[in-house]
């Protein structure tokens, strides 16, 4: 059986010494994130996911969700009670706006808790995860009436949310959607069509589910420019805010999937369902992309979350399992064999997993801080810089983060050998669960093309120039310190590679767009490695400073 311990010490180190959360304490929106409160979130949140969510991970995967003849869906045993505790304990409200009942905690703090949720039970974490996306979209594009109707219940966790984009004939190319919206006399719309791959599309965790649906209105262009966004509740909301009549939206089937079995990924049928336009007609992608960008950062976090749990179990197995002898001679002559930990190739996989998970955690939390600063920073320049950086790095966090998460999961399965392929040991579930994160919310090839095709040239290349300058400045400082000079020099070489690749794309992609298509994924990986390298340099700098001052755990800081 696998195990999981939330990496609270690692998170605290990143928040304090890499992200510098305390340095933003005086800015609006950060007031709630006092050191004591943040510590309580990490400790209590870690305890909640370890005690309540993690024990349901393997059983939920084995049982899966069940669709009934009436189209209703039940989640695996224990999920309803766990979700009830999640809501009653206030975790649903953690990072949401106070005006709708949220606790107003910065996004960077709620991101730390979300990592723990994903590590403990990725399929469970997807239910509130999709709700957070719906909250983001309605907050950005919904009318005041829609916000008043839906956001308090979504924020509290009493209602769930979904995003409905994909159809049988289209995924990335949304201009091909066939779902139609016909206007009604009362200002509502009748939505008809079929959506597939809808995570959390139908379930028994909440009393209502608020679907955000892309559809085309009469006379709309037959392209992505003709798409509108609609809010379609499972139950029509009455004047007093309570769920009323059942809407004409049903789960036609549950997808038979490779992984995340405990999340109800549904085929959703809209048979003249009543919906309301969100934002302007034929401007629906703008609102939905708010939700998608939030989801992409969440999916990048899934890469980290699954990798962390797989890594923890890989280390534990390598310490316990005895096979063969160390190449340098018996490490424990009194035993019949040495632990796997002594073998160079096993150590290679474990050390690479440790380095990547620690670096990705710092990158995800630093990225979450940029989301906060984009909306909360008082200074216009700081807000613009944060928006540029997170806009550039969103496809990197999603694409590089999930590619590395899957690689770590498979490497840790490899550490287990044959036992890694056997279900009872739990490692094959992490491989299966990690695989979807490379696909949904835009495949990683699409993320790479977004980076190369859109983000590099945006605003005259302002964002990528800012990232390159940021890394170069910290490399120069790192080279002046003996403790980090060698590391900074290595990062400088990687930065040179990234600069050269960026110039190559600028010179060649316009001449032949296929150059961009062929080189986009390696470029995304290179950008990810440099971004994670920047986080490693910051961690190394902080660790060296603390060690020199005689503070902290020396072994932890050395590692």
């Amino acid at each position: 059986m696998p195990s999981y311990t939330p990496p609270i010490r690692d998170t605290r180190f990143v928040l304090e010494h890499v992200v510098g959360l305390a340095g933003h304490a005086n800015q609006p929106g950060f007031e709630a994130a006092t050191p004591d409160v943040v510590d309580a979130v990490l400790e209590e949140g870690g305890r909640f996911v370890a005690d309540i969510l993690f024990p349901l991970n393997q059983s939920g995967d084995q049982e899966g969700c069940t669709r009934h003849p009436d189209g209703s869906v039940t989640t695996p045993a224990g999920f309803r009670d766990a979700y009830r505790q999640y809501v009653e304990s206030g975790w649903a409200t953690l990072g949401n706006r106070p005006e709708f009942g949220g606790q107003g905690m910065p996004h960077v703090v709620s991101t730390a808790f979300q990592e723990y949720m994903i590590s403990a039970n990725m399929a469970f974490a997807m239910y509130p995860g999709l709700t957070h996306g719906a909250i983001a979209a309605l907050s950005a594009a919904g009318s005041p009436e829609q916000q008043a109707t839906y956001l308090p219940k979504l924020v509290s966790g009493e209602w769930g949310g979904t995003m409905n984009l994909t159809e049988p004939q289209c995924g990335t190319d949304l201009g091909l959607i066939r779902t139609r919206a016909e206007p009604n006399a009362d200002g509502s719309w009748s939505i008809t069509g079929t959506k597939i791959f809808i995570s959390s599309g139908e379930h028994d965790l909440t009393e209502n589910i608020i679907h955000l649906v892309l559809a085309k209105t009469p006379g709309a262009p037959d392209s992505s420019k003709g798409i509108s966004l609609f809010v379609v509740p499972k139950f029509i909301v009455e004047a007093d805010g309570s769920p009323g009549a059942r809407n004409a939206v049903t789960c036609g089937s549950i997808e038979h999937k490779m992984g995340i079995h405990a999340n109800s990924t549904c085929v959703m049928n809209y048979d003249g369902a009543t919906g309301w336009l969100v934002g302007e007609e034929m401007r629906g992608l703008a609102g939905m992309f708010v939700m998608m960008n939030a989801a992409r950062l969440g999916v990048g976090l899934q890469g980290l979350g699954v990798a962390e749990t797989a890594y923890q179990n890989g280390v534990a197995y390598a310490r316990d399992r005895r096979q063969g002898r160390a190449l340098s001679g018996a490490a424990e002559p009194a035993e019949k064999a040495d632990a796997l930990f002594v073998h160079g190739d096993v150590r290679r996989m474990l050390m690479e997993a440790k380095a990547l998970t620690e670096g990705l955690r710092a990158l995800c939390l630093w990225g979450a801080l940029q989301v906060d600063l984009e909306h909360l920073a008082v200074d216009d320049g700081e807000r613009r810089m944060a928006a540029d950086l997170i806009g550039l790095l969103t496809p990197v966090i999603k694409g590089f983060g999930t590619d590395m998460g899957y690689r770590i999961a498979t490497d840790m399965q490899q550490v287990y050998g044959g036992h890694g392929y056997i279900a009872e040991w739990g490692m094959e579930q992490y491989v299966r669960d990690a695989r979807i994160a490379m696909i949904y919310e835009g495949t990683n090839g699409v993320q790479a093309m977004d980076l190369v095709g859109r983000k590099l040239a945006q605003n005259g290349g302002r964002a990528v120039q800012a990232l390159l300058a940021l890394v170069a400045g910290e490399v120069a400082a790192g080279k002046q310190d003996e403790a980090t000079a060698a590391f900074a020099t290595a990062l400088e070489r990687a930065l040179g590679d990234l600069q050269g690749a960026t110039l190559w794309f600028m010179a060649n992609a316009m001449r032949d767009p296929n150059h961009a298509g062929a080189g986009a994924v390696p470029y995304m990986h290179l950008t990810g490695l440099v971004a994670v390298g920047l986080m490693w340099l910051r961690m190394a700098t902080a660790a060296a400073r603390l060690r020199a001052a005689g503070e902290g755990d020396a072994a932890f800081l050395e590692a």
Side-chain angles (χ1 to χ4, degrees):
M1 288 288 290
S3 61
Y4 170 65
T5 301
I8 294 170
R9 182 168 63 169
D10 296 72
T11 305
R12 187 180 288 118
F13 176 80
V14 171
L15 290 176
E16 290 180 2
H17 302 293
V18 178
V19 170
L21 181 59
H24 299 280
N26 295 326
Q27 291 190 350
F30 288 86
E31 301 93 340
T34 64
D36 288 348
V37 171
V38 173
D39 272 349
V41 168
L42 299 182
E43 294 286 349
E44 294 304 319
R47 185 175 297 111
F48 173 80
V49 302
D51 293 347
I52 305 300
L53 302 187
F54 182 73
L56 301 174
N57 188 52
Q58 198 168 25
S59 61
D61 175 71
Q62 293 166 352
E63 180 182 345
C65 296
T66 303
R67 179 188 178 275
H68 303 285
D70 63 355
S72 65
V73 171
T74 52
T75 51
F79 269 50
R80 286 194 69 186
D81 185 58
Y83 188 82
R84 176 189 58 77
Q85 294 183 64
Y86 167 81
V87 171
E88 290 179 355
S89 299
W91 295 115
T93 65
L94 186 64
N96 289 308
R97 292 159 55 184
E99 59 263 41
F100 295 110
Q103 297 180 43
M105 194 65 66
H107 182 61
V108 64
V109 177
S110 64
T111 294
F113 172 67
Q114 288 164 24
E115 180 207 326
Y116 298 171
M117 284 187 68
I118 293 164
S119 288
N121 195 321
M122 176 173 161
F124 181 96
M126 289 173 65
Y127 291 102
L130 269 296
T131 302
H132 292 155
I135 291 169
L138 288 170
S139 296
S143 68
E145 293 78 14
Q146 289 169 342
Q147 292 178 358
T149 299
Y150 300 110
L151 287 182
K153 295 287 190 180
L154 289 169
V155 165
S156 71
E158 295 171 77
W159 294 356
T162 72
M163 55 193 300
N164 287 236
L165 293 79
T166 308
E167 299 182 9
Q169 77 287 347
C170 73
T172 301
D173 191 353
L174 291 171
L176 299 175
I177 68 171
R178 296 173 184 160
T179 299
R180 296 290 167 180
E182 298 288 340
N184 298 320
D186 63 357
S188 66
W189 297 73
S190 293
I191 314 297
T192 300
T194 297
K195 299 289 186 178
I196 63 171
F197 307 160
I198 307 306
S199 300
S200 313
E202 171 65 23
H203 54 77
D204 59 349
L205 302 182
T206 60
E207 64 177 5
N208 205 355
I209 302 174
I210 310 305
H211 304 288
L212 291 179
V213 184
L214 292 183
K216 291 183 178 178
T217 55
D222 194 19
S223 69
S224 61
K225 294 180 179 179
I227 295 175
S228 300
L229 177 62
F230 298 88
V231 58
V232 185
K234 174 181 174 179
F235 293 100
I236 304 296
V237 180
E238 299 284 4
D240 64 359
S242 63
R246 185 74 158 84
N247 209 347
V249 50
T250 57
C251 170
S253 65
I254 296 176
E255 306 282 11
H256 297 278
K257 314 186 295 289
M258 176 179 174
I260 53 169
H261 294 153
N263 188 268
S264 55
T265 308
C266 300
V267 174
M268 300 300 295
N269 296 321
Y270 292 83
D271 300 306
T274 302
W276 288 266
L277 183 67
V278 178
E280 298 179 33
E281 188 176 348
M282 292 186 284
R283 296 290 299 276
L285 281 185
M288 184 59 85
F289 271 122
V290 172
M291 188 172 189
M292 289 179 68
N293 282 330
R296 285 171 176 170
L297 291 171
V299 172
L301 200 62
Q302 288 181 339
L304 164 63
V306 175
E308 172 64 32
T309 311
Y311 166 68
Q312 288 187 19
N313 286 277
V315 170
Y317 187 83
R319 283 174 171 158
D320 293 340
R321 177 74 167 175
R322 295 185 176 276
Q323 295 287 290
R325 290 297 190 186
L327 294 178
S328 56
E332 296 180 85
E335 300 288 344
K336 291 184 177 181
D338 290 332
L340 286 177
F341 212 77
V342 304
H343 299 300
D345 189 55
V346 171
R347 293 179 70 83
R348 172 190 63 82
M349 291 187 285
L350 294 174
M351 291 172 73
E352 187 169 71
K354 175 181 172 62
L356 283 167
T357 52
E358 290 183 358
L360 285 170
R361 176 173 299 108
L363 181 59
C364 286
L365 291 173
W366 182 70
L369 177 68
Q370 305 315 303
V371 174
D372 284 322
L373 294 177
E374 178 184 2
H375 297 99
L376 301 174
V378 175
D379 181 73
D380 290 343
E382 189 176 13
R383 281 203 308 275
R384 190 183 74 174
M385 172 69 84
D388 283 350
L389 289 172
I390 196 57
L392 178 74
L393 291 175
T394 290
V396 177
I397 290 172
K398 194 280 186 185
F400 179 75
T402 58
D403 279 352
M404 294 305 102
Y406 180 69
R407 174 173 159 183
I408 291 166
T410 56
D411 277 353
M412 297 306 97
Q413 183 185 43
Q414 191 76 9
V415 169
Y416 273 68
H419 287 154
Y421 202 68
I422 304 302
E424 68 184 272
W425 288 83
M427 293 306 295
E428 56 85 37
Q429 181 188 347
Y430 295 120
V431 173
R432 289 187 288 104
D433 286 353
R435 188 65 183 86
I436 185 57
M438 302 162 70
I439 297 173
Y440 58 15
E441 304 307 337
T443 66
N444 286 356
V446 170
Q447 303 302 317
M449 283 303 299
D450 177 48
L451 173 65
V452 169
R454 293 182 63 248
K455 300 299 176 60
L456 287 188
Q458 209 166 49
N459 298 313
R462 189 176 71 200
V464 71
Q465 291 172 26
L467 176 66
L468 296 175
L470 179 64
V471 178
E474 298 198 25
V475 161
K479 290 173 67 177
Q480 301 304 311
D481 187 336
E482 183 179 353
T484 55
F487 192 97
T489 300
L491 179 56
E492 185 176 43
R493 290 195 296 269
L495 176 63
D497 290 338
L498 180 59
Q499 290 168 325
T502 303
L503 291 173
W504 188 91
F505 273 122
M506 290 179 174
N508 291 278
M510 291 297 291
R511 180 171 57 84
D512 183 352
N514 285 319
H515 287 316
V521 167
Y523 181 84
M524 177 182 71
H525 283 180
L526 178 55
T527 307
L529 188 61
V530 170
V532 165
L534 175 63
M535 298 299 111
W536 284 329
L537 177 58
R538 290 179 174 183
M539 287 189 284
T541 301
R545 184 180 66 249
L546 291 169
R547 287 186 65 209
E551 300 176 18
D553 181 334
F556 173 76
L557 295 173
E558 175 65 21

